[in-house]
Amino acid sequence: MAQLSPDSFSSVTVITEPVKKLSTRVARVAGIKTVFDQVNVIEKHSEHFDVNQLATTVDLNNPKNLLVVLKERLLIQLLTHPSFLTQAHQTQNITGFIDTAMPRYLAPNFKFIQQSPYLMGASAAEILIKHLSSANNDYQQNIQNIIVPSHYK
């Protein structure tokens, strides 16, 4: 599978839950906008996500339309939609962030951004324990950013 290239797509749509005030979503959308010139952001709550409505808005079968999904639950809903399943996708036009193997079962030839939720949780717990066990409140000033790597595979 070739890498996703900005030249390969005429349209890029980011599908996400509301971006406002969530630093990871803000950073991810900003990063995508640095790579692609035209980015349409569709913000939907998971429980109100209507894939049928999206399928009429964005041509899921057009290989020139790239869909980048920032939440696995939304990605799985897209990958199981009849518009996606009825076509044998030879060109990847859907990708996103995943925590489990489920999207790989639904689209085994596609690449996704694999996160490590266990490592993210363990890192957060370690910071919390250090903060709670700190004898003084100066620990907050010494907190460093922890970057848990993701992999596009």
Side-chain angles (χ1 to χ4, degrees):
M1 175 69 57
Q3 292 288 332
L4 296 176
S5 162
D7 300 331
S8 303
F9 302 99
S10 58
S11 171
V12 178
T13 302
V14 176
I15 302 167
T16 180
E17 287 198 327
V19 174
K20 190 177 182 179
K21 296 183 183 179
L22 190 58
S23 63
T24 53
R25 289 187 194 135
V26 170
R28 289 174 180 175
V29 170
I32 293 165
K33 286 181 175 181
T34 65
V35 176
F36 297 98
D37 294 330
Q38 298 292 326
V39 178
N40 179 30
V41 179
I42 297 175
E43 298 180 46
K44 296 286 184 181
H45 290 281
S46 294
E47 58 273 1
H48 300 120
F49 185 58
D50 184 351
V51 181
N52 291 320
Q53 181 183 12
L54 178 71
T56 61
T57 305
V58 179
D59 183 1
L60 296 178
N61 293 316
N62 184 344
K64 289 292 193 179
N65 294 340
L66 175 63
L67 299 178
V68 181
V69 186
L70 301 188
K71 185 168 183 166
E72 183 176 313
R73 182 175 172 184
L74 300 174
L75 179 63
I76 289 171
Q77 289 177 1
L78 271 174
L79 293 176
T80 57
H81 189 270
S83 292
F84 178 81
L85 293 174
T86 57
Q87 180 183 9
H89 285 273
Q90 296 176 353
T91 303
Q92 179 169 1
N93 68 333
I94 299 175
T95 193
F97 289 84
I98 64 171
D99 299 323
T100 69
M102 180 58 71
R104 294 190 192 287
Y105 293 121
L106 297 170
N109 296 324
F110 284 14
K111 290 184 176 184
F112 301 101
I113 304 163
Q114 180 72 53
Q115 302 181 111
S116 177
Y118 176 81
L119 187 54
M120 290 187 286
S123 299
E126 186 177 311
I127 290 170
L128 182 60
I129 289 169
K130 284 181 183 177
H131 180 70
L132 292 173
S133 63
S134 177
N136 56 37
N137 291 333
D138 292 338
Y139 180 74
Q140 187 174 8
Q141 295 174 356
N142 298 323
I143 292 178
Q144 298 175 349
N145 284 336
I146 296 176
I147 297 173
V148 178
S150 297
H151 304 280
Y152 183 68
K153 56 182 183 174

